[in-house]
Amino acid sequence: MAAEDHNGGRSALIFLGTGCSSAVPNAMCLIQPSNPCDVCPQALSTPPDQNPNYRCNTSLLIDYCPSDGKHSYILIDVGKTFREQVIRWFTRYKIPRIDSIILTHEHADAVLGLDDIRAVQPHSPTNDIDPTPIYLTQYAMESIAEKFSYLVKKKVEEGKELRRVAQLDWRIIEENCGTSFVASGLQFIPLPVMHGEDYVCLGYLFGERCRIAYISDVSRFPASTEHVISKDGAGQLDLLILDTLYKTGSHNVHLCLPQTLEAVKRICPKQALLIGMTHQFDHHKDNKFLTEWSEREGIPVQLAHDGLRIPIDL
């Protein structure tokens, strides 16, 4: 209870990770220092919790506190850097557990930390604990069943030893804006977007008092999805959390900054925070540019950073 009291009686968003799949610093910049960038060497001199350019895989923790004052902790994506994020930010913000998990898709930077979920579950050598609900599409389920068959199987095969593994309650959701679901008391609306023209990834819309859209991996918005989150469509967002991979140019499976800012102008949220950045972005320098852009366009936009915590009414 002390941990929950520390977080007060209000909901919050905690950015566990704001980086691309390979994370930042980029390993090549450190192992080939003859040609370093300006951002990555900071990792060798500045502790990660003091370095906004140190970025783990994109992941958001929703600390949901409804009117009864009881906190629930909802995790979006469990990537390759999940254990590091737990050690750094769960301890900083006194997060005692995970109550629900929601997956955007089944790529490595969204699911390869699933094995480590057992580290934040009660210890039971016989796996006799309540499983954590995890929400995902049928396509993601089938892929994860191949990657992590031991997390999906419910019975130990005859002659096999029982081993402690994460206990998960797999719950299939639809990948369309018309079918919502509830995780730990909070309603979510799936937001299907293109992550390359051959792949559908989900973002999520949530919050009643504040409308928030979280879209971590996107190259193009289908018209039906953009309508749901646009000021000129179903209503203005209070906060848009949106993908931006590179500072310039374009990419086949992600938005880059020029396309991200165009999307922000079309969707017109009250505020936007950007995630999914590579080492091309320098947090302080590029936020100065974004401050000027925001003043010009009338929409506040900034780069998020790992460990950012935003109190918010959901």
Side-chain angles (χ1 to χ4, degrees):
M1 286 299 296
E4 293 189 351
D5 290 342
H6 171 87
N7 290 324
R10 193 179 182 192
S11 299
L13 307 178
I14 301 173
F15 290 77
L16 301 180
T18 59
C20 58
S21 180
S22 56
V24 181
N26 184 297
M28 287 297 288
C29 290
L30 302 184
I31 66 176
Q32 295 186 359
S34 59
N35 187 30
C37 68
D38 294 330
V39 167
C40 293
Q42 296 174 22
L44 300 179
S45 59
T46 306
D49 60 352
Q50 300 173 27
N51 179 7
N53 286 321
Y54 191 103
R55 305 182 182 110
C56 291
N57 294 157
T58 52
S59 179
L60 184 72
L61 184 75
I62 304 169
D63 175 359
Y64 177 50
C65 183
S67 57
D68 63 6
K70 183 179 179 181
H71 289 258
S72 295
Y73 302 97
I74 305 164
L75 177 67
I76 301 182
D77 285 344
V78 194
K80 297 177 284 184
T81 55
F82 173 66
R83 183 177 181 275
E84 182 178 357
Q85 293 164 322
V86 168
I87 292 170
R88 182 165 298 125
W89 304 119
F90 279 46
T91 56
R92 165 73 67 86
Y93 294 118
K94 296 182 168 53
I95 305 301
R97 65 183 181 275
I98 294 170
D99 293 302
S100 298
I101 300 166
I102 300 173
L103 298 181
T104 59
H105 63 315
E106 43 71 58
H107 287 170
D109 57 345
V111 307
L112 284 195
L114 283 172
D115 181 81
D116 284 321
I117 289 295
R118 64 176 174 167
V120 293
Q121 290 182 321
H123 186 275
S124 170
T126 59
N127 295 322
D128 186 21
I129 61 171
D130 291 332
T132 302
I134 179 168
Y135 300 84
L136 72 170
T137 65
Q138 183 62 43
Y139 181 85
M141 179 78 261
E142 293 170 3
S143 175
I144 289 171
E146 295 182 1
K147 294 182 177 79
F148 293 104
S149 60
Y150 62 94
L151 295 181
V152 176
K153 292 178 181 177
K154 295 299 183 183
K155 294 183 179 180
V156 178
E157 295 178 15
E158 186 176 351
K160 299 287 187 179
E161 293 285 354
L162 177 67
R163 290 174 167 81
R164 182 180 174 235
V165 299
Q167 297 301 297
L168 299 167
D169 177 12
W170 306 92
R171 302 186 181 186
I172 303 302
I173 59 174
E174 300 296 326
E175 51 181 60
N176 68 73
C177 303
T179 308
S180 65
F181 64 96
V182 175
S184 296
L186 185 61
Q187 185 179 53
F188 291 83
I189 296 174
L191 300 172
V193 294
M194 304 312 297
H195 183 20
E197 288 303 304
D198 60 349
Y199 191 92
V200 175
C201 181
L202 293 184
Y204 294 99
L205 174 66
F206 60 94
E208 293 183 4
R209 287 184 282 180
C210 289
R211 297 181 79 236
I212 301 162
Y214 179 85
I215 303 170
S216 60
D217 296 80
V218 56
S219 55
R220 181 175 64 82
F221 290 92
S224 57
T225 296
E226 187 162 321
H227 174 82
V228 170
I229 59 175
S230 295
K231 181 179 180 180
D232 292 339
Q236 187 175 33
L237 295 172
D238 292 281
L239 175 62
L240 172 62
I241 302 167
L242 186 58
D243 183 24
T244 193
L245 186 68
Y246 292 122
K247 227 162 60 164
T248 59
S250 61
H251 194 271
N252 61 322
V253 299
H254 287 278
L255 297 179
C256 296
L257 188 59
Q259 300 89 50
T260 298
L261 293 178
E262 285 301 314
V264 169
K265 287 166 66 174
R266 291 197 315 272
I267 296 168
C268 196
K270 294 179 182 177
Q271 180 183 358
L273 289 169
L274 309 185
I275 58 173
M277 292 82 71
T278 65
H279 63 151
Q280 281 193 0
F281 287 90
D282 183 295
H283 184 82
H284 297 297
K285 292 180 180 178
D286 291 314
N287 268 345
K288 288 182 180 178
F289 162 79
L290 288 171
T291 296
E292 295 172 358
W293 184 94
S294 300
E295 291 173 353
R296 186 169 64 249
E297 300 295 339
I299 306 172
V301 180
Q302 291 280 273
L303 303 179
H305 62 82
D306 289 24
L308 175 63
R309 182 181 185 274
I310 301 176
I312 198 161
D313 294 319
L314 295 175

